[in-house]
Amino acid sequence: MELPTVEELADQLQDVSGAESIDVDAPLQKISDVDSLDLMEWLYNFQSEYPHIPADESLFSDMDDTTTLRTVHGRIVALVAQPAAQN
Amino acid sequence: MTGFDITGWGMSVPGRVVTSVEIADRFGVTEDWVVSRCGIRERRFVSPGETTASLAVEAGRAALERAGLTGADIAHLIVASATPEQLSPATSVFVQHELGVAGSAHDVNAECSGFVYGLVTAAGLMALDPRPILLIGSDTHSLTINPADRDLSILAGDGAGAIVLTPSPNNWMLAWNLGADGSRADSLKIQAGGSRMPTTEETVRKGLHYSEIKGNEIYLNAVRYTVRTVRATLESAKVEPGEVDHILPHQANIRIINSILNHTGLPADRLITNLERYGNTASASMPIALTEALDDGRVSDGELLLLAGFGAGMTWGSVLLKWGGEPT
């Protein structure tokens, strides 16, 4: 199943937010020029591009000042792995 | 089937201006932060004595005057609102009484989609009974906001807008689409005050009579559903996004509006917006923006005007109008 890399996620978020750069290991809440609406806009695009991945707003539901893009990528990987593990 | 002409329009907003500087100060953020989140620089809040019905009456009166009619000429009054005058009876009966409307009166509550729902309802009613209809959107969400809730405090504004529809052989409404998804009812709500949770001292103490929003869910689904309804309406009318002359979305949040434009391919330079000055006035946002656009002479006969919105529920809807209509 096609799955974006964390670097690809960073590029997508950069396009949406207009941020100069996205450090995939920086807490999302501390990246300047990225706010929660940017994350939702990124998610909307992600859902359109990867309709087979059941990602929704719960990706960010418990976001705190330690949550990074790499964390989010890990959650997406887990979402993809979950159905396979259940089979 | 009888069509309609839109022969009157009007609006009313409270005199009290609340700037984003004032709200930013309350929450320890900057005006720029508020504007970057929603695009709103100021909004109007009601003062004591101003209500959903009083704003609706003023807007309705202006629309009737523009149409050269009086309340006695109106066969049906529809008031779209989610912030009623009181729980019962309907807001529309207070407006009916003040304006001397001769015919029926009922409310439509589809939250911020209410005006689009009301317009489609009015078009159907016109087909059944071809006599003048007064459609008003009026809301006072400033009264439902928890003063400690930053997300909603920066958005809400109060106001009312109205249009008069009169029977016509012309067809203005080229296509429409309405929808709802009640599984999203939790995204934006006022829990207390209804039959599920009657008002008690405890509900008031817990602030359950205030609006509550899950902002991320609303953003995501507002974009999703509005994009869908716009596509459905344009496909039904066989109109390409680039052919639409004026786009009048629910004035919710400039970030949501821009996202909808981006994902539908609707031209950004044809956007009608006054969000910066009035904030999100819910059911009133579209008729207020329409009134200003018409008063400015921005919409001409033969042009295509797309109304599109979403609201709590969630609900959504869109209507494609050909201004001046076309012969049926």
Side-chain angles (χ1 to χ4, degrees), chain A residues 35-36 38 41 45 47 57, chain B residues 37 217 219 255 259 263:
Chain A
D35 63 20
S36 61
D38 290 320
E41 183 64 19
N45 290 335
Q47 290 173 329
E57 59 272 21
Chain B
R37 292 287 293 183
E217 286 184 24
Y219 181 97
R255 302 270 293 270
S259 178
H263 292 295

Side-chain angles (χ1 to χ4, degrees), chain A residues 24-85:
Chain A
V24 299
D25 292 309
L28 285 166
Q29 290 180 344
K30 294 185 178 166
I31 300 176
S32 58
D33 298 325
V34 173
D35 63 20
S36 61
L37 299 188
D38 290 320
L39 295 175
M40 289 304 106
E41 183 64 19
W42 165 80
L43 178 57
Y44 181 86
N45 290 335
F46 182 89
Q47 290 173 329
S48 303
E49 195 168 343
Y50 303 96
H52 56 286
I53 300 176
D56 62 18
E57 59 272 21
S58 64
L59 279 179
F60 303 101
S61 59
D62 59 351
M63 189 166 75
D64 60 22
D65 59 8
T66 67
T67 307
T68 66
L69 198 56
R70 194 179 297 282
T71 314
V72 173
H73 185 260
R75 289 172 183 173
I76 292 170
V77 171
L79 282 174
V80 174
Q82 208 168 22

Side-chain angles (χ1 to χ4, degrees), chain A residues 16 40-46 48, chain B residues 219 223-224 226-228 230-231 241 255-266:
Chain A
V16 162
M40 289 304 106
E41 183 64 19
W42 165 80
L43 178 57
Y44 181 86
N45 290 335
F46 182 89
S48 303
Chain B
Y219 181 97
V223 173
R224 185 192 325 282
T226 310
V227 167
R228 281 185 195 166
V230 165
R231 286 178 178 157
R255 302 270 293 270
I256 292 177
I257 291 172
N258 286 338
S259 178
I260 291 164
L261 294 175
N262 182 39
H263 292 295
T264 55
L266 288 163

